Amino acid sequence: MSENIILSEVNGHVGLLTINRPKVHNALSTPVLLELEQAFITLDNDPRVRVIVFTGAGDKAFVAGGDLSEMVSRDGITHYQEFAEDIHRVFRRFETSDKPTIAAVNGYALGGGTELLLSLDIRLVADNADLALPEIGLGVFPGAGGTQRMIRQVPSCVAKELMFSGRRFKAEEAVRIGLANRVVPQAELLGEAMILAAQIAEKSPLVLKLMKRALRDGVNMPMEAALAHEQALIGLVFDTQDAHEGISAFLEKRKANFTGR
Ligand code: CO8
């Protein structure tokens, strides 16, 4: 276990990562980012873990962005490039994992906080959540993948308005623009995220892995190639014990017990 990241395993199949720097609203310094990466790798490599949930410690913040004190202490372009490389690698690792990820956004998700959730699969936002890409007001821009993921995930006029103005927006707006799945009362947020994670973790981890690959790779392909890719992957799925188990369980009117084989 690391100082800034709490890694907990809930009911064996759901891993929970809590970014634990509440005094600075869970801001991401380089050490925190690297600890988060290592904790994620631990869960990603653990075959018992099927779904990974991210949240922030306390009841105020998910992540209030990159650590501004660290940024101001950096001198010169090389350091920014190192930080940009680290944060790009780490967020891309989350985004391309074979395991589904869920953000439980329990408060401020500013700058790097919004950029973090943009790299996760499913986002539940607490009713007190406050999001933004405020970098423009700091004289920088959302360089943790924010410009690229935002423009791909919400309509471009909305993405541009939010990035050009840096204005804050609330949980309801995040859902309305398609950046988050649903708003949940803050007291129920982690519970809801865990219920959803457990529902997903009951499903075949093998199918989830192949489905994530189909989605991830196919979205950047022309339609014909994407369909061929899907066809190849569904071919692999039908040949598995999990497909046999899932279909047999339906016909036998019982709950399927998926093993990922
Ligand atoms: N970094 C470092 N410290 C922070 C950060 C942060 N992002 N956010 C808050 N803190 C610190 C404050 O400085 C304060 O410290 P101290 O107690 O020592 O004064 C402590 O946390 C508590 O904060 P506040 O007193 O300000 O608490 P409030 O409840 O009044 O306000 C806010 C909370 C609204 C979250 C406010 O703190 C705030 O606006 N924070 C900054 C948010 C922000 O601008 N985030 C974007 C940062 S830029 C970014 O994320 C880019 C990342 C990727 C770039 C990659 C390029 C290479």
Side-chain angles (χ1 to χ4, degrees), residues 23-25 27 64-68 80 84 108 110-112 135 138 144 168:
K23 280 193 181 143
V24 288
H25 296 299
D67 188 317
L68 291 166
Y80 281 108
Y108 294 117
L110 305 176
E135 285 89 339
L138 298 163
R168 296 242 198 107

Side-chain angles (χ1 to χ4, degrees), residues 220-256:
N220 293 319
M221 292 178 183
M223 193 60 173
E224 292 304 325
L227 288 172
H229 184 51
E230 186 192 64
Q231 201 175 325
L233 291 169
I234 195 72
L236 296 177
V237 169
F238 271 107
D239 207 20
T240 62
Q241 287 178 22
D242 275 356
H244 189 262
E245 166 65 9
I247 295 168
S248 302
F250 173 78
L251 295 174
E252 292 161 18
K253 302 190 190 311
R254 63 175 172 81
K255 194 173 168 191

Side-chain angles (χ1 to χ4, degrees), residues 21-29 60-61 63-71 74 77 79-88 91 108-115 130 132-138 140-146 168:
R21 271 187 107 199
K23 280 193 181 143
V24 288
H25 296 299
N26 305 320
L28 291 179
S29 62
K60 297 247 169 8
V63 167
D67 188 317
L68 291 166
S69 314
E70 186 190 30
M71 281 186 212
R74 286 169 186 273
I77 190 89
H79 290 97
Y80 281 108
Q81 279 173 348
E82 277 170 16
F83 186 59
E85 272 175 33
D86 283 339
I87 205 158
H88 278 162
F91 287 7
Y108 294 117
L110 305 176
T114 285
E115 294 179 280
D130 220 332
L133 290 172
E135 285 89 339
I136 187 89
L138 298 163
V140 291
F141 73 82
R168 296 242 198 107

